[in-house]
Amino acid sequence: MPKSRATHLSRRGVLAAGGVLGLGAALAACGDGDAKSGGSGGGTAAKSGPWSFKDDRGRTAEAGEVPGNIVAFVGVAAALHDYGVRSKGVFGPTTTKDGKADVQAGDMDVSKVTVLGNEWGQFNIEKYASLAPDVLISTMFDDAGTLWYVPEESKKKILAVGAPTVGISVYDRRLTEPLERMLALAKSLGGDVTSDKVKQARKRFEDAAARLRAAARSRPGIKVMAGSASQDLFYVSGTNLSIDLEYFKALGVNFVEPPERAKAKGGGWYESLSWENVDKYAADIIMMDNRTSAIQPSAITQATWKKLPAVKAGQVIARNPEPILSYDKCAPLLEDLAEAIESAKKVS
């Protein structure tokens, strides 16, 4: 995963973990709801009265009423947005250099949220306090309860603002579990989780899972590698720890499993290779980290990359190591991989 704030994970470690880890994650939905009145609310009105939610640290966040001023990691905000829950402030990769929405922002209108920090280590505490936050939400890429993209060095000051915090774990479990946890969180915040749109998205996800399982079963010899590119290194992720890869593997997808990752400083997420050794593992399909923190396939100039059989065959697809945790956003991930396996040529 990216260089995590956690002491036992490096940021590149977490980054690579997801996409070969990739960075982290998702922010609750955006929106420009007025202070206490419109922050959460989509197709249904938020229920009145006390609010509480037990998160994946086992901690219960509480408030006198359903939070209206939500501040969330961008990936979380994007997922909540799909359930009609708006976030007033976000942090994490929200906009690209040209001002457009980052891939991790999903369908949010990024012009209507206050961005507290767009890069690792950035979190404007003054802006955060000015939003009068009712709750702070992020994902967690370790088992220590570390909130993703909340800087360790300023964590005490951020918590001193007084808003309760919620952590949704995306560590060492299959995709379906955090999907259900995000759905439950959205429901508690007044989101409409029973609309026809949500039902259709869930049905699409289930159908995509069945399709991927069938594709993997019919073509067991097709080998898939999850990778992420940086200027000097290529990261190969194993399936262990990553929510998407663990789920795909459970559906039968045949992945490259680098044995050296267990010895790596990244905590077992990935193995780092020099570009000279990028051909260490044979693969028919390569899934490449599509986050802005990683170099994209079209920009990779190394000759060793261009000589890889999967690259020469055009069998490279995108992967977001930090999936936006809504059924609407996760269904296409399964569909794309299923299609790739169904049509792949055996080149390894």
Side-chain angles (χ1 to χ4, degrees):
M1 309 242 39
K3 290 175 189 168
S4 165
R5 306 180 237 56
T7 56
H8 63 287
L9 272 183
S10 69
R11 175 170 179 257
R12 169 51 68 180
V14 176
L15 275 180
V20 193
L21 235 210
L23 281 192
L27 118 155
C30 2
D32 57 347
D34 295 336
K36 294 281 182 182
S37 60
S40 84
T44 60
K47 60 184 179 182
S48 59
W51 170 85
S52 67
F53 184 82
K54 187 174 182 179
D55 74 0
D56 292 338
R57 299 170 296 182
R59 303 178 189 178
T60 300
E62 299 178 308
E65 58 185 9
V66 175
N69 292 348
I70 298 170
V71 174
F73 172 72
V74 65
V76 171
L80 293 178
H81 178 273
D82 285 351
Y83 295 118
V85 180
R86 302 187 184 97
S87 297
K88 193 170 186 181
V90 301
F91 53 95
T94 306
T95 58
T96 58
K97 292 181 180 179
D98 58 5
K100 296 180 180 179
D102 188 275
V103 65
Q104 291 184 250
D107 294 333
M108 290 192 300
D109 183 344
V110 295
S111 69
K112 293 184 178 180
V113 291
T114 298
V115 180
L116 304 177
N118 201 58
E119 298 179 6
W120 183 265
Q122 295 180 350
F123 194 109
N124 191 311
I125 300 174
E126 289 71 25
K127 279 188 179 181
Y128 174 61
S130 73
L131 295 176
D134 295 322
V135 66
L136 173 67
I137 311 171
S138 191
T139 46
M140 302 181 298
F141 280 92
D142 60 26
D143 56 4
T146 306
L147 296 176
W148 191 232
Y149 265 83
V150 174
E152 189 67 26
E153 60 273 17
S154 54
K155 181 177 68 174
K156 289 184 179 180
K157 292 182 179 179
I158 293 169
L159 297 180
V161 172
T165 64
V166 170
I168 298 297
S169 180
V170 289
Y171 174 75
D172 195 17
R173 58 201 63 204
R174 295 175 185 174
L175 179 60
T176 46
E177 184 175 347
L179 270 172
E180 282 298 293
R181 293 293 288 144
M182 191 62 71
L183 186 79
L185 176 60
K187 181 179 180 180
S188 80
L189 293 170
D192 187 350
V193 301
T194 60
S195 67
D196 287 343
K197 181 180 179 181
V198 172
K199 290 178 181 177
Q200 290 167 7
R202 186 163 191 158
K203 176 64 163 53
R204 180 183 175 186
F205 178 89
E206 292 168 350
D207 289 346
R211 178 184 175 184
L212 180 55
R213 186 189 297 276
R217 183 182 297 121
S218 66
R219 308 203 68 193
I222 296 297
K223 198 80 171 179
V224 180
M225 179 167 67
S228 185
S230 70
Q231 189 63 43
D232 299 318
L233 296 170
F234 182 80
Y235 303 89
V236 180
S237 181
T239 56
N240 188 35
L241 306 181
S242 298
I243 58 172
D244 60 332
L245 301 185
E246 283 200 7
Y247 184 53
F248 299 158
K249 182 179 181 179
L251 292 175
V253 177
N254 183 10
F255 279 100
V256 168
E257 298 283 6
E260 291 300 311
R261 65 189 172 87
K263 306 173 186 177
K265 293 181 180 179
W269 290 91
Y270 64 96
E271 179 181 355
S272 56
L273 302 174
S274 66
W275 284 103
E276 290 76 14
N277 295 313
V278 72
D279 60 353
K280 180 176 180 179
Y281 299 108
D284 303 295
I285 297 170
I286 303 176
M287 302 176 69
M288 288 295 289
D289 187 346
N290 70 349
R291 293 170 301 174
T292 52
S293 58
I295 297 176
Q296 297 307 299
S298 62
I300 298 176
T301 59
Q302 282 81 357
T304 49
W305 162 261
K306 295 179 179 180
K307 291 179 181 178
L308 292 177
V311 175
K312 292 172 68 176
Q315 295 175 177
V316 178
I317 64 173
R319 174 198 173 212
N320 187 342
E322 298 180 63
I324 294 173
L325 296 172
S326 73
Y327 288 100
D328 180 71
K329 295 298 181 293
C330 287
L333 307 181
L334 280 71
E335 292 169 343
D336 291 348
L337 181 54
E339 181 179 3
I341 292 173
E342 291 164 351
S343 61
K345 297 177 182 178
K346 181 65 180 174
V347 294
S348 64

